[in-house]
């Protein structure tokens, strides 16, 4: 086995051990990065370059501000009662909170926002009332359903980037892998939602066949989502700025709808310093691997192998999905390889998107996993295990179909 893979495996083992000893997830992952640096570089200059680039990159501050404003919005929705009113209304419409558990994270997943699982988490928490579901199951539900549009949402930056680099149309990509979104929903429904037992019919179901719709709660809950969507998509406003504008603009609306909130608490309760510290550590880890050339070295090893193209792309996408935890991360690395291997090959593009997403769903470097586990205060590896089983089923079904359709 090539030495770079041995070093990466050693780093992953170190991360797992540190997490088992309750070390914060950010420092634990960064420790793995420092171990790779120790074996691959040992250049303090590169260590410093990666650090300064992390703190000066626009991506870092966009992410931190976006996360902060998402948490501000969650406080507004919770304290105004809009969150509860929306869940009750959806229960009245669908007759069961089980539908809300799956539908709302999926719906919010349409909005491109790094770490956006923090927004859907409180909705999952609210909708789980009256249902026997532990914290790890809630976390897995929130994570899985929020990411089912990862490779078929034309608004996702990763989808746009992938199609631009590989020179394929977004429509062709959706035609190729859009069915996997349906597959992901079905798998999540079968394994995460159906087994749930309702313990309180009054809280979890519409026992009175009440069809009352709380329009105020719906406006105040969906309004910020729709407004953010329009600002980002229609007016090309940067995500963090869009979320900040929405947070500020909706404050007077809560008072106008006679649902006053403490403005101070909106901005102070959202300052989760531990979460922000963990996020910066993970971003530093990713940038460190880029600066010292570890990612390039892994790509080079596969390029020099005799493996079939589809296998190389699948392996690279999964590995970089695990290592970066970001759609834009594995796409930026793998899609140029696809473009060189087979320009315009939609099959390889689809393979890269699906396997990269599978890698994202089983790694602690994925920021959505970080913020979800932090919110539900649950066990990281049990949550990853649940998502891992679904990811395995997804890639097995996808691979079997792709092999039968294109390679037999």
């Amino acid at each position: 086995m090539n030495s770079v893979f041995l070093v990466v495996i050693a780093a992953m083992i170190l991360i797992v051990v540190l997490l088992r000893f309750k070390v914060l997830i950010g420092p634990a992952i960064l420790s793995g990065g420092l171990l790779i640096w120790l074996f691959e570089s040992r250049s303090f200059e590169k260590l410093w370059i990666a650090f300064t680039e992390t703190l000066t990159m626009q991506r870092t501050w966009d992410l931190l501000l976006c996360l902060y404003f998402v948490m501000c919005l969650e406080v507004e929705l919770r304290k105004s009662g809009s969150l509860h009113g929306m869940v009750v209304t959806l229960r009245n419409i669908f007759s069961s909170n089980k539908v809300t558990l799956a539908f709302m994270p999926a719906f919010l997943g349409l909005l491109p926002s790094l770490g956006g699982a923090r927004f859907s988490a409180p909705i999952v928490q609210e909708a789980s009332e009256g249902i026997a579901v532990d914290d790890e199951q809630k976390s897995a539900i929130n994570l899985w359903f929020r990411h089912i549009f990862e490779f078929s949402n034309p608004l996702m930056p990763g989808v746009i980037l992938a199609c631009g680099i590989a020179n394929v149309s977004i429509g062709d990509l959706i035609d190729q892998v859009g069915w996997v979104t349906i597959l992901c929903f079905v798998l999540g429904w079968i394994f995460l939602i159906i087994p749930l037992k309702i313990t309180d019919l009054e809280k979890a179901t519409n026992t009175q066949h009440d069809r009352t719709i709380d329009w105020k709660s719906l406006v105040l809950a969906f309004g910020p989502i729709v407004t953010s969507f329009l600002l980002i998509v229609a007016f090309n406003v940067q995500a963090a700025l869009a979320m900040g504008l929405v947070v500020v603009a909706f404050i007077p609306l809560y008072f106008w709808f006679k649902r006053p909130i403490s403005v101070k608490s909106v901005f102070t309760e959202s300052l989760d310093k531990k979460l922000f510290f963990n996020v910066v550590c993970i971003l530093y880890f990713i940038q460190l691997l880029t600066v010292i050339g570890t990612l390039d070295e892994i790509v080079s090893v596969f390029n020099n192998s005799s493996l079939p193209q589809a296998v190389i792309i699948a392996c690279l996408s999964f590995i970089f999905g695990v290592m970066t935890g970001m759609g834009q991360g594995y796409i930026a690395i793998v899609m140029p390889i696809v473009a060189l291997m087979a320009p315009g090959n939609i099959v390889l593009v689809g393979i890269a998107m699906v396997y990269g997403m599978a890698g994202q769903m089983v790694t602690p470097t994925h920021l959505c996993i970080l913020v979800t586990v932090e919110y539900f205060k649950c066990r990281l590896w049990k949550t990853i295990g649940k998502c891992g089983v679904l990811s395995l089923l997804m890639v097995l079904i996808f691979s079997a179909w792709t092999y039968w359709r294109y390679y037999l």
Side-chain angles (χ1 to χ4, degrees), residues 2 297-307 312 341:
N2 190 281
E297 192 174 349
I298 292 173
V299 170
S300 178
V301 170
F302 276 101
N303 279 341
N304 293 327
S305 73
S306 58
L307 294 172
I312 291 174
M341 279 184 172

Side-chain angles (χ1 to χ4, degrees), residues 149-224:
F149 292 104
E150 193 75 12
F151 32 67
S152 61
N153 180 3
L155 306 178
M156 285 289 180
V159 171
I160 297 171
L161 180 64
C163 292
I165 295 174
N167 195 29
V168 298
S169 73
I170 292 177
D172 286 343
L173 178 61
I174 294 174
D175 286 341
Q176 181 70 20
V177 294
W179 67 274
V180 186
T181 288
I182 300 172
L183 171 66
C184 289
F185 185 89
V186 171
L187 289 174
W189 186 264
I190 292 173
F191 290 97
L192 295 177
I193 302 298
I194 288 180
L196 298 180
K197 303 297 182 183
I198 293 176
T199 57
D200 190 327
L201 288 174
E202 196 66 33
K203 290 182 177 180
T205 62
N206 188 1
T207 56
Q208 304 300 318
H209 302 290
D210 183 6
R211 298 299 177 186
T212 301
I213 297 177
D214 184 350
W215 290 107
K216 288 184 179 180
S217 290
L218 288 184
V219 169
L220 293 174
F222 284 103

Side-chain angles (χ1 to χ4, degrees), residues 263-275:
V263 176
K264 180 181 178 180
S265 67
V266 168
F267 295 100
T268 57
E269 290 185 18
S270 305
L271 285 171
D272 191 336
K273 296 178 182 179
K274 184 172 73 172
L275 174 61

Side-chain angles (χ1 to χ4, degrees), residues 313-314 317 330 334-335 338 347-357:
I313 295 304
S317 297
Y330 71 81
V334 177
M335 283 305 167
V338 173
V347 178
L348 290 182
V349 174
I351 290 171
M353 296 299 287
V354 173
Y355 273 84
M357 186 264 200

